[in-house]
Amino acid sequence: MYKQFSRRRCSWNTVVVAAVLVPLASLAHHSVPVNFDMQSDIEVTGKITRTKWVNPHSQLTLDVVSDTGEAETWLVEMNALNTIRRLGKRLGWSTDNFVVGEKITVGGWKGRHERSVYFRRATLASGRKIIWESRLDPDLTKLE
């Protein structure tokens, strides 16, 4: 009887621990509206210094010359790599379009943290314009 009680107790403890940890894990994935002001659109021009194509959020790092002439590092946050691959294919672009060392202008929502922006569109060094569609931007569905 003790072993049977012990198994039930173990199972119950597992359920309780899972019920506590699963919601905490979901908080670790940050929300776009929490980190970016969806009412504030900005543009930043700089040289791509790093690309990071990962889940849950891909990133570009840009070297930007500020209005005062000082060098600044900006973080451009993007969707997950799997989303970029899927929608990028439909929109006619890929991660290969973002080349380290090339100049780019990125437009999007201003970050709530200094020098950050959420990617919504870009003009590449070649002049090609890319517009991003996401579940937050259902109207952004094409390349310009």
Side-chain angles (χ1 to χ4, degrees), residues 49-75:
T49 57
R50 182 174 173 227
T51 59
K52 187 176 175 186
W53 304 110
V54 296
N55 294 316
H57 295 280
S58 292
Q59 299 173 344
L60 302 176
T61 304
L62 304 180
D63 274 350
V64 176
V65 177
S66 73
D67 294 337
T68 62
E70 295 182 38
E72 299 177 338
T73 300
W74 277 70
L75 177 66

Side-chain angles (χ1 to χ4, degrees), residues 38 41 87 90-91 109 119-121 130-144:
M38 296 171 70
D41 192 80
L87 287 177
R90 192 181 98 201
L91 297 172
W109 296 316
F119 182 89
R120 295 181 70 211
R121 65 188 176 279
I130 293 176
I131 295 180
W132 178 248
E133 173 192 325
S134 76
R135 62 184 171 78
L136 298 173
D137 295 311
D139 58 319
L140 300 177
T141 59
K142 64 181 184 331
L143 293 171
E144 278 190 344

Side-chain angles (χ1 to χ4, degrees), residues 87-138:
L87 287 177
K89 188 179 289 187
R90 192 181 98 201
L91 297 172
W93 62 273
S94 75
T95 57
D96 295 338
N97 294 117
F98 298 90
V99 179
V100 171
E102 288 193 358
K103 185 177 174 183
I104 187 173
T105 298
V106 174
W109 296 316
K110 185 176 191 284
R112 297 191 193 279
H113 300 285
E114 193 174 352
R115 293 186 303 274
S116 63
V117 59
Y118 188 81
F119 182 89
R120 295 181 70 211
R121 65 188 176 279
T123 303
L124 304 176
S126 66
R128 180 177 183 194
K129 294 182 187 279
I130 293 176
I131 295 180
W132 178 248
E133 173 192 325
S134 76
R135 62 184 171 78
L136 298 173
D137 295 311

